[in-house]
Each structure stands twice: as structure tokens, then as C-alpha cells.
């Protein structure tokens, strides 16, 4: 069966109630509105954030974010191609767009942030056009698979079958067969471990410092270059850091950085959690993600209640992070 592009759409005009204007300056109030595609396969959530800036007495700020969701797998965060157009009809009409490119599911992306003069309205009218593009099987003849896809499939099958494996990776009483040559090609840690003089006879085993689910996800990436939808990115980055799987480190760092930017309203709390986790697990890649975000969002994070409490509970970690942040290279 061949594959074809299938587009799911929503095209509506709606009036969405605004959250109450915050009484305190520099605090957020939020509200949300859900939309479902005409075929029922996808949904989108518009999040409206209202802010009363401290530096502008007669104005308020409105931010509109949008996230897409798979109705058949609501918790999926995989990447699909989605985007669209939003026209805000309030005082004067303005159009904002999200290019229809590969974006994470269940992750808010910013449509726009604008400041308006008071008085504060109760609702705003939006004209919304959103679409998601996915590949579905069709009866049309398909082209022969590429060499890369065939290689990925073959290596994935080799991992699953355990055929010709020459090492057992052991953790928490579970053993997973693997292949020294593939591990060494993808990980500098295993490349050093499996040097020529190392005895690779039948029955060799290596203890690894991670849970079985994380080990399986890391092996999936080592063999195929892909990640599952349910992977715990933080734990996986810690494991990739320890076992020097550089490609995996870089991919997860990019995902975490984008996730922090897109989820700006929870970023301070997430930063604190990740800093504590990086210190506990001695993960330089995880720490680097947080430091780079801190450097570009100092005011947002360091003036938050979460950071204030984090400094009390984790004084040394917070102090080291601030020092390293200011010494961070561009």
C-alpha cells in the first residue's frame, strides 16, 4: 500500500471569552478554547493569556498560543505537520500565522503577543483556519523504499530479534541482547569499552545504569535513529549523557529548549526541576539546556516565585547556576 497526504482542517469564526484582567501587575490569567477538525481526527487548543504590565499603566497584554492534539492518542507529543492562520478582530483586525511545518503535538506555539489600550474587553472575535497534514495508506502503487529506510528497518529488526548478538546489557534483573559493533559505532562510551583486546565471547554482559524502559529507548535510537512517543526525555538525556550517545543528546537538548520556549508560563518551574535533576544526576547536557534558557529569560525565571523558593531549598545549586549562566559563552 502506498501513502498519500491527508489534510484535516478546522475553519471557524468564534468569540472567545477573555480571562479576567489580573489585579496585580506582571501576573498572568488564562483561559482556553478547544476546536476539533471536521473529520474528528485532530483538535486544537487556543490558550489566551492576559497580563497587566507594570511599566504601562493604561495597557494590557494579550498572548495567544495554539497546541494540536491527536484525538486517537491524546498524550502523543510526536512531530506532525500542522499550522494555520488566525485573524483577531478587536479594535482593528490583525492576522497572525503559524507556518504549516513539522511541530510537536501537545505543545503550545505562540500565534501573537500584542498590547492593547484599556478598557479591557470581555471577549474577542477570532477567525481561525487550522490544518494538520499526515500520511495515510492508499491503494496507489508505492515507490521502492530508500536505502536509508531499509537500513533503519533492518537494524530495528536485528535489535528486536537479538540475532547474532554478542553482548547482554543488564539492568534491574533484565538482560537485553545487543551488538558490540553497532553500540561502538554510535556511542563513544561503548567504543572505548569494546576495544579489540576486550573478550567478546558468548555470555559477555555489561551492567548499565538506567531503567529497562530508558535502556530500550536508547537502544531504539542507537539502532534506528528514532524515538517512541512516550519516551521520558529528561531521563533519556541523562542516560545519553552518561553513555556518550552524542546524536541523541543533541536531539533531546533541542527538544527541551523548544519545549521551554513554547511553554513559557511553566518554564520557571520546569527550569528549577531540571536544574535539580541535572545536579543530582551530574548531567552536563541537561544543565546546559537550563543555563541557555536562563541566560535568555533571566527576568522571567529569576523574578518568579518558583525560583525564589528554589534558591531557599537548593542554595548551592542555584548559586552555581547563576554563576555559570553569566560565564556561558554565546
Amino acid at each position: 500500500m502506498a501513502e498519500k497526504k491527508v489534510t484535516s482542517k478546522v475553519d471557524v469564526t468564534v468569540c472567545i471569552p477573555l480571562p479576567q484582567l489580573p489585579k496585580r501587575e506582571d501576573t498572568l490569567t488564562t483561559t482556553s478554547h478547544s476546536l476539533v477538525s471536521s473529520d474528528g481526527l485532530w483538535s486544537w487548543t487556543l490558550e489566551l493569556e492576559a497580563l497587566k504590565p507594570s511599566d504601562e499603566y493604561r495597557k494590557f497584554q494579550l498572548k495567544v498560543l495554539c497546541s494540536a492534539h491527536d484525538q486517537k492518542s491524546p498524550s502523543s507529543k510526536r512531530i506532525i505537520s500542522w499550522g494555520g492562520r488566525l485573524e483577531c478582530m478587536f479594535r482593528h483586525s490583525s492576522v497572525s500565522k503559524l507556518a504549516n511545518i513539522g511541530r510537536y503535538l501537545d505543545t503550545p506555539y505562540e500565534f501573537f503577543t500584542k498590547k492593547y489600550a484599556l478598557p479591557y474587553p470581555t471577549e474577542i472575535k477570532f477567525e481561525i483556519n487550522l490544518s494538520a497534514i499526515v500520511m495515510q495508506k492508499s491503494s496507489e502503487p508505492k515507490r521502492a523504499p530508500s536505502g536509508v529506510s531499509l537500513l533503519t528497518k533492518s537494524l530495528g529488526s536485528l535489535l528486536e530479534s537479538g540475532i547474532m548478538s554478542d553482548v547482554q546489557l543488564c539492568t534491574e534483573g533484565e538482560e537485553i541482547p545487543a551488538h558490540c559493533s553497532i553500540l561502538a559505532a554510535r556511542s563513544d562510551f561503548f567504543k572505548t569499552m569494546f576495544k579489540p583486546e576486550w573478550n567478546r565471547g558468548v555470555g559477555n554482559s555489561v551492567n548499565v545504569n538506567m531503567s529497562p524502559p530508558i535502556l530500550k529507548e536508547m537502544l531504539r535510537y542507537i539502532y534506528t535513529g528514532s524515538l517512541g512517543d512516550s519516551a521520558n526525555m529528561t531521563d533519556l538525556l541523562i542516560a545519553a549523557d552518561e553513555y556518550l550517545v552524542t546524536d541523541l543528546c543533541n536531539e533531546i537538548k533541542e527538544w527541551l529548549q523548544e519545549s521551554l520556549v513554547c511553554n513559557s508560563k511553566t518554564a520557571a518551574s520546569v527550569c528549577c526541576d531540571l536544574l535539580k535533576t541535572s545536579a543530582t544526576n551530574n548531567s552536563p547536557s541537561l544543565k546546559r539546556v537550563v543555563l541557555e534558557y536562563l541566560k535568555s529569560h533571566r527576568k522571567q525565571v529569576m523574578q518568579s516565585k518558583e525560583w525564589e523558593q528554589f534558591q531557599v531549598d537548593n542554595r548551592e545549586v542555584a548559586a552555581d547556576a547563576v554563576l555559570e549562566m553569566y560565564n556561558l559563552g554565546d
Side-chain angles (χ1 to χ4, degrees):
M1 299 288 283
E3 291 186 332
K4 63 177 181 180
K5 288 184 178 180
V6 176
T7 302
S8 301
K9 296 182 178 181
V10 62
D11 187 350
V12 295
T13 299
V14 293
C15 290
I16 300 179
L18 285 177
Q20 291 185 342
L21 185 64
K23 294 181 180 179
R24 292 176 52 197
E25 295 176 342
D26 286 337
T27 56
L28 288 174
T29 56
T30 63
T31 190
S32 63
H33 186 84
S34 295
L35 304 162
V36 181
S37 62
S38 55
D39 56 15
L41 297 177
W42 304 93
S43 65
W44 287 267
T45 300
L46 287 182
E47 296 181 63
L48 278 59
E49 297 181 350
L51 172 72
K52 188 177 181 182
S54 59
D55 54 344
E56 299 187 65
Y57 174 65
R58 295 294 300 171
K59 289 188 177 181
F60 70 93
Q61 177 180 292
L62 177 66
K63 178 185 287 188
V64 178
L65 304 112
C66 184
S67 54
H69 317 279
D70 183 347
Q71 292 290 83
K72 292 184 178 180
S73 181
S75 62
S76 175
K77 295 182 181 291
R78 70 184 190 277
I79 295 176
I80 70 160
S81 182
W82 71 268
R85 172 185 179 277
L86 182 145
E87 182 174 357
C88 176
M89 290 167 277
F90 172 62
R91 296 184 184 166
H92 62 273
S93 179
S94 60
V95 177
S96 302
K97 294 181 180 180
L98 283 175
N100 206 317
I101 58 175
R103 300 181 184 279
Y104 290 98
L105 293 175
D106 201 29
T107 300
Y109 290 83
E110 183 178 328
F111 252 121
F112 69 79
T113 298
K114 298 186 188 308
K115 290 183 179 179
Y116 298 99
L118 295 170
Y120 187 70
T122 57
E123 64 180 19
I124 288 185
K125 187 177 182 181
F126 292 101
E127 184 179 286
I128 304 164
N129 307 93
L130 297 167
S131 64
I133 301 174
V134 295
M135 302 301 294
Q136 289 187 359
K137 292 181 178 179
S138 71
S139 57
E140 300 172 4
K142 63 178 180 180
R143 286 190 281 177
S146 68
V148 174
S149 64
L150 286 173
L151 178 61
T152 298
K153 184 177 180 181
S154 298
L155 290 176
S157 298
L158 190 65
L159 173 63
E160 291 177 6
S161 67
I163 294 174
M164 301 181 70
S165 62
D166 52 4
V167 67
Q168 298 285 331
L169 300 182
C170 308
T171 178
E172 298 180 6
E174 190 169 339
E175 294 186 351
I176 300 175
H179 305 80
C180 291
S181 57
I182 295 176
L183 296 178
R186 300 281 279 147
S187 159
D188 287 341
F189 178 92
F190 288 117
K191 183 177 181 179
T192 301
M193 173 176 282
F194 300 151
K195 52 190 177 182
E197 58 267 31
W198 192 75
N199 178 20
R200 291 190 293 174
V202 176
N204 285 317
S205 61
V206 175
N207 292 320
V208 293
N209 182 31
M210 67 189 85
S211 67
I214 295 301
L215 174 57
K216 291 173 183 176
E217 283 292 347
M218 189 175 79
L219 286 174
R220 182 215 293 264
Y221 187 87
I222 285 174
Y223 278 72
T224 70
S226 64
L227 292 170
D229 290 342
S230 59
N232 183 317
M233 295 296 187
T234 303
D235 290 348
L236 197 53
L237 179 56
I238 292 169
D241 230 0
E242 182 174 353
Y243 289 90
L244 305 178
V245 187
T246 305
D247 291 348
L248 181 56
C249 281
N250 291 338
E251 186 163 333
I252 298 177
K253 282 164 62 180
E254 185 177 338
W255 183 90
L256 285 173
Q257 287 165 350
E258 185 172 350
S259 180
L260 282 170
V261 172
C262 293
N263 294 279
S264 57
K265 65 182 180 181
T266 60
S269 176
V270 174
C271 276
C272 294
D273 290 342
L274 292 181
L275 262 183
K276 187 175 181 179
T277 302
S278 69
T280 302
N281 295 276
N282 192 27
S283 175
S285 292
L286 185 57
K287 189 174 186 178
R288 178 82 183 194
V289 171
V290 182
L291 293 180
E292 288 179 352
Y293 186 84
L294 281 176
K295 186 174 182 180
S296 56
H297 299 81
R298 286 191 292 270
K299 183 177 179 181
Q300 174 190 341
V301 176
M302 294 185 177
Q303 292 184 357
S304 68
K305 294 179 180 179
E306 291 87 352
W307 182 260
E308 182 180 347
Q309 187 60 47
F310 182 75
Q311 287 181 299
V312 174
D313 298 338
N314 306 272
R315 182 176 300 177
E316 290 186 11
V317 176
D320 288 344
V322 172
L323 179 62
E324 290 186 49
M325 175 197 70
Y326 283 111
N327 291 328
L328 199 63
D330 293 327

